Amino acid sequence: SLQPLFSKSSFGFSFLASNSKLARFSLVTTAAASRRIVSPFQKKAAMSSTTSTTSRLGAVKVGDVISSDVTLMEGQADYEKPVPVKLYDLIKGKKVAIFAVPGAFTPGCSKSHLPSFITAMSDLKQKGVDMVLCVATNDAYVMEAWGRTSGGADAGIRFLSDGNAELTRAFGLAMDSDVFVRSKRYSLIADDGVITHYFSAEEQSSDTWAPNVLAAL
């Protein structure tokens, strides 16, 4: 009879038969799915030890570095094919504001969160912000339409789709819904890819609106 022995592997424990025939049964059934979720954080080799990284699905925090592995999608005019955008490449060397909403065209996002950034664009620029990005898990076509019809795109905000919830899950801010995974509401400031300010809606949504962001800069 087999005498199961336990040994650690990179994914957990495996059973090994004593007669050398391999009989592995991974205890982690989601390994393949985990490999598809890319953490947005990585440590730059040149950064000081005070700048931290987070584990996969860990909470985003000040000092984290947005990784070059995160790819979002940007819709194009006239329903042209969306183009992939490497988030780190886009924001490298820039001071950027990123705000995420649970859904495009939804009431709170359309009436409060997005308009707060539209009206604050000139003030944000005076504070040294080079670029403002809006992120949601809607598809790229919806995000393009929302940016176009809301006036956000005309104001200079870029609307990016996290349709696979890659960034959202890695930030630990995913919310299941009856339609698709949504992002929790948040805003942040990143300077050359390093998160310098983070604003959560955990207490109240207005904490993530542009006036609160401006007050912290």
Side-chain angles (χ1 to χ4, degrees), residues 27-84:
L27 298 182
V28 180
T29 60
T30 58
S34 297
R35 287 195 294 273
R36 292 194 295 270
I37 300 174
V38 181
S39 172
F41 311 117
Q42 62 185 17
K43 179 169 287 190
K44 289 182 178 178
M47 293 190 65
S48 70
S49 59
T50 58
T51 300
S52 64
T53 59
T54 66
S55 61
R56 184 167 294 153
L57 299 181
V60 58
K61 63 184 182 298
V62 171
D64 289 329
V65 183
I66 298 177
S67 159
S68 58
D69 292 326
V70 176
T71 301
L72 305 177
M73 299 298 292
E74 187 169 27
Q76 304 299 301
D78 300 320
Y79 306 102
E80 293 295 324
K81 183 179 180 181
V83 298

Side-chain angles (χ1 to χ4, degrees), residues 90-154:
L90 178 64
I91 68 177
K92 185 178 181 181
K94 302 180 182 70
K95 185 176 183 178
V96 300
I98 302 174
F99 67 98
V101 299
F105 292 106
T106 56
C109 307
S110 297
K111 292 180 179 180
S112 301
H113 201 173
L114 172 57
S116 77
F117 277 90
I118 293 176
T119 57
M121 289 297 286
S122 60
D123 292 332
L124 287 165
K125 182 174 291 187
Q126 290 177 7
K127 293 287 189 177
V129 175
D130 301 302
M131 181 183 299
V132 178
L133 308 176
C134 177
V135 177
T137 55
N138 299 92
D139 68 51
Y141 295 102
V142 171
M143 291 298 287
E144 187 279 329
W146 192 37
R148 172 168 39 84
T149 59
S150 66
D154 288 339

